[in-house]
Amino acid sequence: MFEHLTEPPDPYILVLMSFGVLIALVAWLPLVLRRLPLSLPIVCILIGVGLGLVPGLRFDPSPLEYPAIAERFSEFVVIIALMGAGLKIDRVLGLRSWMITWRLIFLTLPVGIALIALLAGTWLALPWTMALLLGAVLAPTDPVLASDVQVGPPKSGEEDEVRFALTSEAGINDGAAFPFVHLAIVLSAATVTQEPWFWDWLSYNVFWEIGVGVLGGYLIGKLFGWITFHIPAESKLAQTGDGLIALSATLISYGFTETLHSYGFLSVFVTALTFRQAHRDHDFHTDMHDLTEQVERIAMMILLLFFGGTLANGLLSALRPVDFAGALLILLVIRPVTGMIGLGGVNATLGERLTISFFGIRGIGSFYYLAYGLNHIDDLTHAPRLWAIVGLVVLLSIIMHGLTVTPIMRRLDITHGRDPDADDAVPPPGFQGPAA
């Protein structure tokens, strides 16, 4: 009997138990952290660091050792977040109604990419192709970690100008930055082959992949909207309340457009917006949003645990002293300045424009873009340093924005006449439990 009791537990059983603990933390931690200047991502990273420091555990999921897994897993987390972001936006898509978004996409994003690339190519002394890649990787606002400053669930009424701007920006700029990632890949290859590249890049990576991605997302959204809300049947899908249909739409939209060699990130967000337009006021959108939020949060927590494990095992060891200053410049100067440039003349208060410009959160999307870019570039000489710089920027962003999001957004709510401490108040976006 005692011999059996001293046997080590089955690793499979330990994994099951750990996954159960993870799900419990995902459900409970947001409620505990609701009024604290602390975010769920910070807690996830700390747990990951702790696991990485456990002797004998060897918890080191390094993206340098597992580049394909790093790309695919971060890709999955982002597309789930994009579907959730699209479903929760109440504002109807339009040129004027979304003007603040278009400014952030067509002004803030490209200027940010250019300034980060200039910083990396001069002060950080990276090759210009790697500098461009770094600019494309670090310029977009992350749709996953920016959930704390995004709009609330569908029809919740929590869609002020700040939350709408950051949600819609995060939904579009991941896809909008992809041509610049491909430009870095194309330029890296052209330095070796010396072949013409501009027309192929412009026609294929810009016009084709953006155009087909948007069109494919629209068609899939229309199809799912018609099947869900308008098919002539007594048992419509919307009446089942099964939010899994959102996950289905996400995967089909992404897979369909990727098979057509276009941008799946754009497609998923457009699918979500179009799906929402099919029946804007139906409660089924809330069911779909709740499920995608649960899946996104679990996947995000796992990825950030991995990130914490890599930090504990030396992900940042390739950093140079100048990289620390560069990371601070990206977060505290380049993003705020480019944000204010893009928002010049927008009908918003100075406080709102400063808040939008400050909360350009970097995160999971940056991991995906860097993994994708390096997996398509032959020369990986600078890969350790690039991962270290991106890891540092994401870490600083999570800490800086995580510690400030609660007081700043609470003050914003009070300014707009909402009492964040009221008993019946809806928790800020990103802090609702899975059953919210």
Side-chain angles (χ1 to χ4, degrees):
M1 171 181 176
F2 292 105
E3 293 179 357
H4 292 293
L5 293 178
T6 57
E7 290 180 357
D10 188 336
Y12 170 72
I13 301 301
L14 291 178
V15 170
L16 287 182
M17 182 177 67
S18 300
F19 195 64
V21 172
L22 178 68
I23 294 175
L25 290 174
V26 167
W28 291 337
L29 273 178
L31 302 178
V32 175
L33 301 174
R34 176 179 172 179
R35 289 182 173 87
L36 297 177
L38 194 65
S39 68
L40 179 62
I42 294 177
V43 177
C44 296
I45 292 174
L46 290 175
I47 295 174
V49 171
L51 292 175
L53 295 175
V54 173
L57 186 58
R58 285 185 274 183
F59 183 66
D60 182 18
S62 170
L64 293 166
E65 296 294 330
Y66 308 100
I69 296 176
E71 177 185 339
R72 292 307 182 189
F73 190 34
S74 57
E75 174 184 46
F76 173 77
V77 181
V78 172
I79 63 173
I80 296 298
L82 290 172
M83 175 58 69
L87 288 174
K88 69 175 71 169
I89 293 179
D90 292 331
R91 190 175 304 192
V92 178
L93 180 65
L95 289 177
R96 283 194 172 185
S97 59
W98 282 51
M99 181 55 66
I100 194 169
T101 308
W102 308 135
R103 283 177 164 272
L104 289 170
I105 298 302
F106 293 109
L107 288 175
T108 298
L109 179 66
V111 174
I113 292 174
L115 290 180
I116 295 173
L118 181 63
L119 172 72
T122 55
W123 201 23
L124 304 187
L126 285 168
W128 284 107
T129 54
M130 297 296 102
L132 176 59
L133 177 62
L134 191 66
V137 164
L138 291 177
T141 297
D142 187 63
V144 183
L145 299 182
S147 62
D148 292 346
V149 291
Q150 290 184 359
V151 300
K155 304 190 302 177
S156 67
E158 294 195 20
E159 191 164 298
D160 52 64
E161 204 67 15
V162 171
R163 288 189 169 103
F164 167 75
L166 292 169
T167 305
S168 55
E169 179 198 11
I172 296 178
N173 70 2
D174 265 322
F178 231 132
F180 298 97
V181 175
H182 279 292
L183 179 58
I185 296 171
V186 167
L187 289 175
S188 178
T191 56
V192 178
T193 63
Q194 302 298 319
E195 294 180 356
W197 56 269
F198 180 76
W199 175 245
D200 284 343
W201 171 77
L202 185 65
S203 59
Y204 177 60
N205 296 124
V206 179
F207 294 134
W208 171 265
E209 294 198 287
I210 290 178
V212 175
V214 171
L215 178 61
Y218 174 78
L219 294 176
I220 297 295
K222 276 290 187 182
L223 175 64
F224 269 84
W226 181 79
I227 293 174
T228 304
F229 299 111
H230 302 299
I231 57 172
E234 295 182 359
S235 56
K236 292 181 180 178
L237 284 173
Q239 296 173 355
T240 67
D242 193 345
L244 277 172
I245 197 67
L247 188 59
S248 170
T250 302
L251 300 179
I252 290 176
S253 175
Y254 191 78
F256 174 71
T257 50
E258 285 289 325
T259 57
L260 297 177
H261 304 286
S262 58
Y263 294 136
F265 282 2
L266 276 177
S267 173
V268 170
F269 188 65
V270 172
T271 292
L273 293 175
T274 310
F275 202 168
R276 180 72 194 278
Q277 295 291 332
H279 196 320
R280 298 192 55 79
D281 298 323
H282 203 288
D283 291 337
F284 187 54
H285 291 297
T286 303
D287 298 328
M288 292 191 293
H289 167 266
D290 290 346
L291 185 134
T292 56
E293 186 180 47
Q294 292 176 48
V295 175
E296 172 195 341
R297 190 169 294 166
I298 292 172
M300 175 205 73
M301 195 165 184
I302 294 174
L303 196 149
L304 290 180
L305 287 176
F306 291 164
F307 179 45
T310 62
L311 291 175
N313 286 276
L315 179 69
L316 306 184
S317 60
L319 288 173
R320 301 175 185 177
V322 70
D323 297 337
F324 291 91
L328 291 174
L329 277 174
I330 290 170
L331 293 173
L332 298 177
V333 178
I334 292 179
R335 164 62 192 194
V337 168
T338 57
M340 292 300 289
I341 290 173
L343 298 175
V346 167
N347 186 21
T349 67
L350 177 61
E352 289 174 330
R353 284 184 280 132
L354 287 172
T355 303
I356 295 169
S357 300
F358 175 71
F359 280 115
I361 300 174
R362 274 55 180 151
I364 311 301
S366 296
F367 292 155
Y368 169 72
Y369 275 136
L370 182 58
Y372 179 91
L374 293 177
N375 288 345
H376 290 79
I377 291 177
D378 293 330
D379 184 8
L380 299 180
T381 306
H382 301 277
R385 189 177 174 210
L386 287 173
W387 271 111
I389 294 173
V390 171
L392 176 64
V393 171
V394 172
L395 178 63
L396 293 176
S397 176
I398 290 174
I399 295 173
M400 179 178 70
H401 295 121
L403 293 177
T404 57
V405 63
T406 299
I408 290 178
M409 299 311 287
R410 282 168 62 83
R411 180 171 291 276
L412 180 70
D413 286 335
I414 294 172
T415 302
H416 289 138
R418 294 190 295 265
D419 182 4
D421 295 318
D423 292 336
D424 59 348
V426 179
F431 284 82
Q432 293 124 353

